[in-house]
Amino acid sequence: MSIAELQIGLEAPPARLTLAGTALFLDLDGTLATIAERPEDVRPDPRRTNLIERLLLGLDGRLAVVSGRSLEDIDHILEGRVTTVAAIHGLVRRDACGVVGQAAPHPALGQAAARLAEFAASDPNLLIEDKALSLALHYRQAPHLAQAARDLAQAIADETGLACQPGDMVVELRTPGASKGDSIRAFMTEPPFAGAMPVFLGDDLTDEHGFFAVNILGGYGVLVGPQRRTVARYMLADVEAALAWLEAAS
């Protein structure tokens, strides 16, 4: 069964979250943090850090962040509070014991970087984010170049074998490998997550694999942001609504 085959109607909002018996998986940008003009503009926030600490305690450690960010970025933004992390959409995974595993970088990333740099030179509002295992081309500040950016990324992917992954005002060329859903499935086989009901909050197209995974595992996904076609079962309007829902958990 593919994600495209499982279109679930959204029910909004989800009931109050019960921490006992739950395994919680959280995206970062667009879910725990408002998306900024530039990735580096997202910084640590006391409210978010305090919430993470309380959830970790209430969940007995059954909380993981599953994000497209690099591991270093996640640790910086969350002030090192979360050990269990899937970074770069699942290409890097750090388990509850702190052991890190990651994919080998695709050999065509250097070639792709040169092509993207040439394109980005046409407009100072284009931003390339190098995550070592992937390259993200951000066009949030140059929306008129959205189609050209997506077309270029797809052409590079077709030529090199890199995976082309669209997102919210960004397109990413990544080393083929594990998805967010694969990471969630792996975490769910390990302590302290095994045997709990998985819940995943995310906002972007890249989160659909995670929503699909928790559905199959008997849990549910929560889409944060505007309504769209999704396999998430519930929705919350925005980051503020997501934070408030998590703060009300017991």
Side-chain angles (χ1 to χ4, degrees), residues 4-247:
E5 293 170 338
L6 188 57
Q7 296 296 333
I8 298 175
L10 290 173
E11 305 170 30
R16 182 176 180 178
L17 180 64
T18 300
L19 300 180
T22 295
L24 186 60
F25 299 95
L26 300 170
D27 179 38
L28 183 49
D29 294 280
T31 301
L32 292 178
T34 301
I35 294 175
E37 289 295 312
R38 301 176 303 169
E40 61 266 31
D41 291 338
V42 179
R43 299 181 175 91
D45 175 75
R47 177 188 180 187
R48 184 171 54 236
T49 299
N50 291 337
L51 172 61
I52 290 291
E53 289 178 335
R54 189 180 73 80
L55 289 171
L56 280 165
L57 183 63
L59 290 161
D60 292 328
R62 297 185 304 274
L63 182 151
V65 169
V66 182
S67 170
R69 290 266 187 176
S70 70
L71 188 60
E72 294 76 17
D73 272 0
I74 295 168
D75 284 344
H76 168 66
I77 294 167
L78 299 181
E79 301 185 86
R81 296 304 197 273
V82 182
T83 298
T84 313
V85 170
I88 317 181
H89 310 288
L91 294 178
V92 177
R93 196 172 74 89
R94 185 172 64 199
D95 68 18
C97 296
V99 177
V100 178
Q102 67 177 58
H106 193 283
L109 283 168
Q111 173 188 343
R115 295 274 299 277
L116 292 180
E118 181 181 3
F119 176 72
S122 67
D123 192 309
N125 292 311
L126 292 169
L127 173 65
I128 299 172
E129 183 183 8
D130 188 343
K131 306 180 191 177
L133 296 177
S134 74
L135 297 158
L137 176 60
H138 296 266
Y139 49 85
R140 184 171 300 278
Q141 298 180 80
H144 59 288
L145 292 174
Q147 191 60 55
R150 292 193 293 263
D151 289 347
L152 174 62
Q154 188 59 62
I156 295 172
D158 292 342
E159 294 166 13
T160 62
L162 288 163
C164 182
Q165 185 164 284
D168 186 353
M169 303 302 285
V170 62
V171 64
E172 193 159 349
L173 290 165
R174 65 190 292 264
T175 299
S179 69
K180 290 185 177 184
D182 294 326
S183 297
I184 290 172
R185 281 187 285 270
F187 285 137
M188 287 297 296
T189 68
E190 302 167 352
F193 301 91
M197 183 188 72
V199 174
F200 177 46
L201 273 68
D203 71 302
D204 208 348
L205 292 174
T206 62
D207 296 313
E208 291 298 324
H209 290 282
F211 295 148
F212 185 81
V214 295
N215 287 345
I216 296 300
L217 292 169
Y220 61 88
V222 180
L223 174 67
V224 179
Q227 189 171 14
R228 59 169 171 79
R229 286 174 64 86
T230 180
V231 296
R233 191 165 299 155
Y234 302 101
M235 70 174 293
L236 292 162
D238 50 28
V239 170
E240 176 59 35
L243 294 175
W245 186 71
L246 291 169
E247 288 169 337

